[in-house]
Amino acid sequence: ARAALARALRLDTMHFRATAEQAEMIRRVAQEENVLLRDTAGLRAAVAPDGILGWETVSDNCHLHLDLFADEAASDLNLLGIHVPGANPPPAVEADHFDLVLKYLSNWLDGALRSESEWLIVAPLWRFLRMNQPMIEPRFEAWIDERPPAASQSAGRSRSLLLAAWGQAHWLAGDKARAEAINEKARSASSETALPWVWKGLYDVGAGRIDGAKAAFSKALQIEPGRPDAQAYLHLLG
C-alpha cells in the first residue's frame, strides 16, 4: 500500500508536492551537509496508523490540524537549541478532528457518489475509520442519515451506497462481523442498489457460504442486469 501511494504521488499532477523520492533526497542532503531539518512528515508518519500520514494529522490533503502547530513550533525551537518545556516527539494524536475532516471528506464523497466510483468511496472511508476518533461509528452513521442525497440519486440509494462502502471499510480493517452487519443495513436502505449484494457475496465466499454467495450475486444481477463483477464472480462459482 505504501509503495502504491508513493507511485500515486509521483504521478499526481499537483506539481508543488514533493514525491517520496524528493523527500528522501532532502533528508539525505540535510544529513550529509549537517543542515537542521524538522522532518514533520517522517516523524508523524511514524506514529500514524499503518505508518501512513492521514486525517489524524491533516485536515484535508496537506494542512496540519491547528492543534498540532504548537508542538511543531516547539520542536523547531528545540532544533535551534531553545528548549520549550513539554516539547516532545509527536504523540499519537487523540484530539477530536471528526467534524473538520468530515467537512473535507464530504466534498470528496459527493463527487465519488455521483459517479458511483465504489473504491473512491471505500478507500477514504477506510482511512477515516483508522483515525480512531471518539464515537466514530454512531457519529458517521448519523451523518449518513442526515446528509442530502447525491445529485441524480434517491436518498435511499445514496444511503445504501455509503453504508455499503462503510461496511467494506470495516472489512478491510479486519472487523468482518461489523462489516456484515453494516452491509445488511445497506441492503435494507434501497432495493435499487446492487453493490451491497456484490460485497455480501464476497463476504459469503470468504466465510465458505457458497450457496449464499451465489444467491447474493444473482440478486445483484437482478437489480443491475449485466453487472460485470457479479457476472464474473457467479461464473467462477459455477
Side-chain angles (χ1 to χ4, degrees):
R2 190 174 289 102
L5 178 61
R7 183 169 184 269
L9 288 174
R10 285 198 302 273
L11 299 173
D12 197 350
T13 55
M14 189 177 288
H15 60 86
F16 51 82
R17 177 165 56 199
T19 64
E21 291 82 2
Q22 288 167 336
E24 284 305 314
M25 185 185 301
I26 292 169
R27 294 182 181 106
R28 187 179 70 251
V29 171
Q31 185 176 24
E32 291 172 353
E33 301 296 327
N34 293 317
V35 174
L36 291 178
L37 174 68
R38 168 64 181 170
D39 186 2
T40 299
L43 290 168
R44 294 205 174 270
V47 295
D50 309 301
I52 300 174
L53 283 177
W55 287 311
E56 72 291 323
T57 304
V58 293
S59 59
D60 45 27
N61 65 312
C62 61
H63 295 96
L64 280 176
H65 288 299
L66 292 178
D67 55 279
L68 301 181
F69 273 86
D71 183 72
E72 285 300 311
S75 297
D76 287 343
L77 289 172
N78 272 343
L79 281 175
L80 296 171
I82 304 171
H83 177 65
V84 178
N88 297 309
V93 179
E94 296 178 356
D96 190 346
H97 299 136
F98 180 92
D99 291 330
L100 186 63
V101 172
L102 192 57
K103 182 179 179 181
Y104 170 76
L105 183 57
S106 179
N107 293 328
W108 171 278
L109 289 175
D110 281 344
L113 282 167
R114 280 194 296 272
S115 62
E116 298 196 12
S117 304
E118 56 205 57
W119 287 104
L120 291 182
I121 307 171
V122 173
L125 289 187
W126 168 77
R127 198 63 183 81
F128 186 59
L129 180 62
R130 296 287 287 148
M131 286 173 61
N132 295 321
Q133 292 287 272
M135 299 289 288
I136 193 169
E137 298 274 353
R139 292 167 77 185
F140 185 73
E141 289 174 29
W143 175 82
I144 292 176
D145 290 338
E146 294 165 3
R147 73 184 300 278
S152 78
Q153 287 178 344
S154 67
R157 183 175 179 82
S158 184
R159 183 171 185 271
S160 178
L161 286 169
L162 275 172
L163 282 170
W166 187 232
Q168 183 68 0
H170 283 74
W171 184 271
L172 294 174
D175 191 347
K176 296 184 177 181
R178 182 71 180 135
E180 294 202 45
I182 297 172
N183 182 273
E184 184 176 358
K185 290 183 181 180
R187 286 180 277 120
S188 299
S190 173
S191 60
E192 59 184 39
T193 313
L195 180 62
W197 288 99
V198 173
W199 278 334
K200 180 189 185 305
L202 292 175
Y203 300 161
D204 284 341
V205 168
R209 303 186 296 259
I210 303 304
D211 288 343
K214 289 180 178 179
F217 294 138
S218 297
K219 179 67 175 179
L221 288 169
Q222 180 184 334
I223 296 170
E224 193 179 318
R227 184 177 172 108
D229 52 0
Q231 283 184 324
Y233 296 140
L234 198 56
H235 176 73
L236 287 171
L237 292 176

